[in-house]
Amino acid sequence: MSAPIVIGVDWGTTNLRAFRFDGAGNVVETRRAANGVGMIKDRAFEAALREIVGDWLTQEARIVISGMAGSREGWREAPYAPCPADLASVRAAMVRPDAALDARLAPGLSAARGDGLMEIMRGEETQIFGALDSQAADIVVAPGTHSKWARVAEGRVTDIRTYMTGEIYALLKQQSILTRLIDGDASDPDAFALGVQRSLRSAALLNLLFSVRSEGLFGHIATRSLSAYLSGLLIGAEITEGLAEHRLSADIRILVIAAAELGALYRAAFARAGFSKVEIVDGEAAAARGLWRLAQPWSDA
C-alpha cells in the first residue's frame, strides 16, 4: 500500500497556505489564497478548503491545519494546550473538524504568567516546532502583527510573551498624526539603527514615538526614512522588553522565524543590544515543517 498523501494548511485570519508533501516530508507543491478565516461565509470551511486543494485529495489523504482555523471564530475550536508543551502534547490535543475529510485542527498554546495574566499563540507554535527540527535555541521570536517570544528547552515551549509591534506600527503609520509626515516605507538602515538605539537606551516609548514627527519637521530625518525610524523604535522597544522579561544573558541562542528582510532587521536590532547568536529561519518553511511533524504519526484522536 502506498503512503497516504499528507497536506498541511497554515490558515490564518486573512490568508491560507497549503503544502503538499512527498513521503519524506519535502514540500512538492505550495498554494496560497487570500481566503483566510475572516473571509469565510456561513462557516463553509470545508468547501473553501476543497476549492484550494481539491485535486490533491485522495481517499487516504491526511490534512493537518494550524492557525486561526482552530480558533473560536474558525472551523472548530481546538482549545489551547497549556505550557510547557512539546510536539507530542500539541499533536495529542488536535481535534477533528466537522467534515468528511480526514483532517485535524492544531491547538494553540497558552501560558499562565506569574502576574496572573495569560499569554496565547495560535499558529506560531507550529512554526516553532518546525524550526526546532533543525535548529537549537533558547528563545524563539516570531515577529509579525503580534510578535511572539517563546522560551524553549529540550523541545518544549515553556513560556510565551506577546508584543503588538506590527499592529502598532501599522496603526501609527497609517492612522495617526505621524501619517502626515511619513513618506512611503523605504529601507534606511541608519534611520532604523537610530530608532533601535534610542529605544534600547530609554524606556520612554510614548515620548520617543512623538520624535518621529519632530525629527521629520526639523529635517533631522528625511520623511522617506521616517517609517524605518519608527520601525526601529518599535522593534527596539520590543527587544528591550523581551530581554528584560526573560532576564536573558548575551550568550543565549536566539532563533527568529521570519522572511529574510524582517529577519535581517531583528538580527541587526539584537546585535545593537549585544546579542550575536541569532539565526533566521524562513517562516513559510518553518510552518510547512511543523505541519509535517504534526502529522507524524497520524492520530485517531
Side-chain angles (χ1 to χ4, degrees):
M1 179 183 294
S2 60
I5 291 176
V6 174
I7 299 168
V9 181
D10 178 16
W11 204 341
T13 301
T14 57
N15 295 290
L16 178 154
R17 295 183 292 196
F19 309 97
R20 182 166 63 89
F21 300 97
D22 65 16
N26 302 304
V27 176
V28 295
E29 189 175 355
T30 302
R31 293 179 180 173
R32 301 172 181 85
N35 198 17
V37 168
M39 284 71 169
I40 305 301
K41 304 298 184 183
D42 301 320
R43 303 195 57 77
F45 290 97
E46 182 173 358
L49 183 59
R50 286 182 181 275
E51 184 177 350
I52 304 301
V53 303
D55 60 321
W56 291 354
L57 298 175
T58 66
Q59 188 173 357
E60 297 82 19
R62 299 171 174 176
I63 307 170
V64 61
I65 304 167
S66 70
M68 293 302 290
S71 70
R72 190 166 300 176
E73 297 77 26
W75 196 343
R76 177 187 171 189
E77 185 175 11
Y80 294 104
C83 289
D86 59 11
L87 184 71
S89 59
V90 170
R91 187 187 294 123
M94 295 193 296
V95 302
R96 289 176 178 269
D98 181 15
L101 303 170
D102 189 9
R104 306 288 187 280
L105 295 164
L109 298 182
S110 65
R113 294 170 36 153
D115 56 11
L117 297 177
M118 293 296 296
E119 292 279 358
I120 56 174
M121 64 169 60
R122 191 177 288 278
E124 294 90 354
E125 77 291 334
T126 303
Q127 289 183 313
I128 291 170
F129 290 121
L132 292 177
D133 193 35
S134 60
Q135 297 277 355
D138 302 298
I139 292 288
V140 180
V141 179
T145 303
H146 301 151
S147 185
K148 303 292 183 178
W149 286 47
R151 184 181 285 277
V152 296
E154 299 179 346
R156 300 185 304 165
V157 176
T158 61
D159 196 16
I160 303 168
R161 288 293 185 275
T162 305
Y163 305 94
M164 294 178 62
T165 309
E167 184 165 0
I168 297 301
Y169 173 80
L171 288 170
L172 290 173
K173 185 171 178 290
Q174 299 167 10
Q175 301 182 41
S176 76
I177 194 171
L178 305 181
T179 306
R180 302 177 186 179
L181 281 175
I182 293 175
D183 181 15
D185 55 359
S187 173
D188 187 329
D190 291 335
F192 176 79
L194 177 62
V196 170
Q197 194 63 37
R198 286 177 172 173
S199 281
L200 291 174
R201 289 176 176 173
S202 172
L205 178 61
L206 294 178
N207 175 251
L208 286 173
L209 288 173
F210 192 77
S211 72
V212 177
R213 178 168 173 78
S214 58
E215 293 286 69
L217 285 173
F218 284 93
H220 297 161
I221 299 176
T223 55
R224 66 179 181 277
S225 299
L226 288 176
S227 61
Y229 175 63
L230 172 61
S231 177
L233 289 176
L234 290 169
I235 291 176
E238 176 190 328
I239 287 175
T240 299
E241 291 185 31
L243 295 176
E245 285 274 358
H246 289 282
R247 298 181 178 87
L248 301 178
S249 59
D251 62 343
I252 64 158
R253 299 163 299 176
I254 300 171
L255 192 60
V256 178
I257 301 175
E261 184 176 354
L262 183 57
L265 292 179
Y266 272 77
R267 176 181 276 161
F270 274 115
R272 286 264 167 187
F275 290 76
S276 60
K277 296 181 180 179
V278 180
E279 298 293 335
I280 311 299
V281 173
D282 178 72
E284 182 169 301
R289 190 62 188 171
L291 287 162
W292 169 258
R293 294 187 75 196
L294 282 173
Q296 310 302 315
W298 197 246
S299 170
D300 291 329

